[in-house]
Amino acid sequence: MQLLSFAALAAIAGVSYGHMAMIKPCPFFSPNCETQPPALPAGASYDYNIKNPIAPDGPLMKTNLVWPAPVETWTAGEDVTIKFQKDGAAHGGGHLAISISFDGGKTSVMVFQRLRYAFFNGPSSSNTPEVLEYTFKLPADVPSCDNVVVSQTWVNAIGNREWYRDDSLVSIKGSTSATSFTGPQMVIANHNGYPTIPEFNGNYDTGVDLYENAPIITIYANGGSSTGSSPSASAAVSDYSSAVTSSAAAPDYSTAAPPVAHTPAPSPTAEAGKQGPAAPSPVSSAPVSSAPVSSAPVPVPTGSACTHGAMRCVGGSGRFQQCVWGVWSAATSCAAGTVCQQSSADAIICNWP
């Protein structure tokens, strides 16, 4: 008789536990955040496939809905921390970036990069991440904004050519004199209409030029944006810097993918009367941390129906539920031919009968 662990069950039952996913700040609409997120907005449901890549022919964001309130408050000029779920597959590293947007995620500027060795301390062929959090200083000239979409994007070093993205909502207490922020535009790759970054095959400089030469754009706290015009200033990128020599308009994140091409077509969105972009702010290259991230069930307030992370068999022989912040999820089926068995009070297995 063969038993399937929950990790194996998840892979074949349609619940994704591969790849990497952000847990802090809590992305839309993850059931696995470090802290309990706000209530789901109307029309939203928990994303049990949060670790899936962005479909190459689909929209550039997984949802057009956002949290009803920011999940964190950041302060310009101070350290912020991004954390990732423990049980992901890191595909040998790759290029990771953190970006901010004032227009709901349509136009984003990178504020942190870990190029080449994301989730690792150096070259690796492993799927097991060594680094699960990054702390960096948010630039001091970021303006205040109550609703800022924070995006983590990642291009994997090993495996199918994919582009991963998680988005969250934070509030920023920023410079009282600033109304805009200028920096390198978010890099999009391995998606129809955008460059393909090949598998690294040991060459960790693969695709780095896209980050070095990312267009410099300006985003405004009121939601506007504009493009630079071959700025002469250098943008510090991770542990190296390079003069930025190109510019392009921001892509549209709210619709399906653009037609296949080498680069997205320009579509300026600058507001009338806005001044041109200032010198770009440097992208942080702060040291990384490999502090462990707990995957144990997290207690929820007294009176909740269940303990976050717990699982139970329900509705016959082949279905189960997961507790998400005190509420049982919709039932999910085991793989064909297997049945659900309760292995402990809070855990299940799928077993061949």
Side-chain angles (χ1 to χ4, degrees), residues 20-116:
M20 301 296 295
M22 186 168 68
I23 59 172
K24 180 186 185 309
C26 182
F28 320 136
F29 292 104
S30 174
N32 302 309
C33 297
E34 184 180 61
T35 57
Q36 184 171 359
L40 290 173
S45 58
Y46 283 111
D47 182 2
Y48 294 99
N49 295 312
I50 190 72
K51 294 182 180 179
N52 283 0
I54 297 294
D57 57 353
L60 292 168
M61 292 182 71
K62 294 177 180 177
T63 177
N64 289 325
L65 300 174
V66 300
W67 292 123
V71 297
E72 292 186 9
T73 297
W74 292 1
T75 301
E78 296 187 2
D79 286 350
V80 296
T81 298
I82 307 292
K83 295 184 180 181
F84 294 86
Q85 195 170 342
K86 182 179 180 180
D87 57 4
H91 294 285
H95 307 318
L96 173 75
I98 306 298
S99 305
I100 60 173
S101 170
F102 300 138
D103 63 359
K106 297 178 181 179
T107 315
S108 302
V109 168
M110 294 183 288
V111 293
F112 173 79
Q113 294 174 5
R114 172 56 169 163
L115 302 186
R116 301 176 175 86

Side-chain angles (χ1 to χ4, degrees), residues 241-295:
S241 62
S242 173
V244 178
T245 58
S246 62
S247 62
D252 182 358
Y253 286 70
S254 61
T255 61
V260 174
H262 291 294
T263 56
S267 55
T269 57
E271 293 183 359
K274 292 290 186 183
Q275 296 180 351
S281 298
V283 177
S284 175
S285 57
V288 301
S289 168
S290 56
V293 176
S294 174
S295 59

Side-chain angles (χ1 to χ4, degrees), residues 202-264:
N203 178 10
Y204 283 85
D205 287 333
T206 302
V208 164
D209 60 308
L210 295 177
Y211 294 82
E212 289 182 327
N213 298 316
I216 296 301
I217 63 171
T218 296
I219 55 177
Y220 297 90
N222 64 2
S225 64
S226 63
T227 60
S229 56
S230 301
S232 59
S234 296
V237 182
S238 191
D239 55 355
Y240 57 88
S241 62
S242 173
V244 178
T245 58
S246 62
S247 62
D252 182 358
Y253 286 70
S254 61
T255 61
V260 174
H262 291 294
T263 56

Side-chain angles (χ1 to χ4, degrees), residues 129-148:
E130 299 172 340
V131 178
L132 292 174
E133 66 182 66
Y134 293 93
T135 297
F136 62 93
K137 191 177 295 295
L138 189 67
D141 55 341
V142 174
S144 292
C145 186
D146 291 335
N147 295 288
V148 181

Side-chain angles (χ1 to χ4, degrees), residues 166-206:
D166 289 332
D167 299 285
S168 186
L169 190 71
V170 306
S171 173
I172 292 181
K173 294 180 178 179
S175 169
T176 56
S177 60
T179 59
S180 64
F181 180 67
T182 298
Q185 185 177 4
M186 173 196 288
V187 171
I188 303 169
N190 301 339
H191 191 283
N192 288 358
Y194 297 90
T196 296
I197 296 178
E199 195 168 16
F200 289 13
N201 292 319
N203 178 10
Y204 283 85
D205 287 333
T206 302

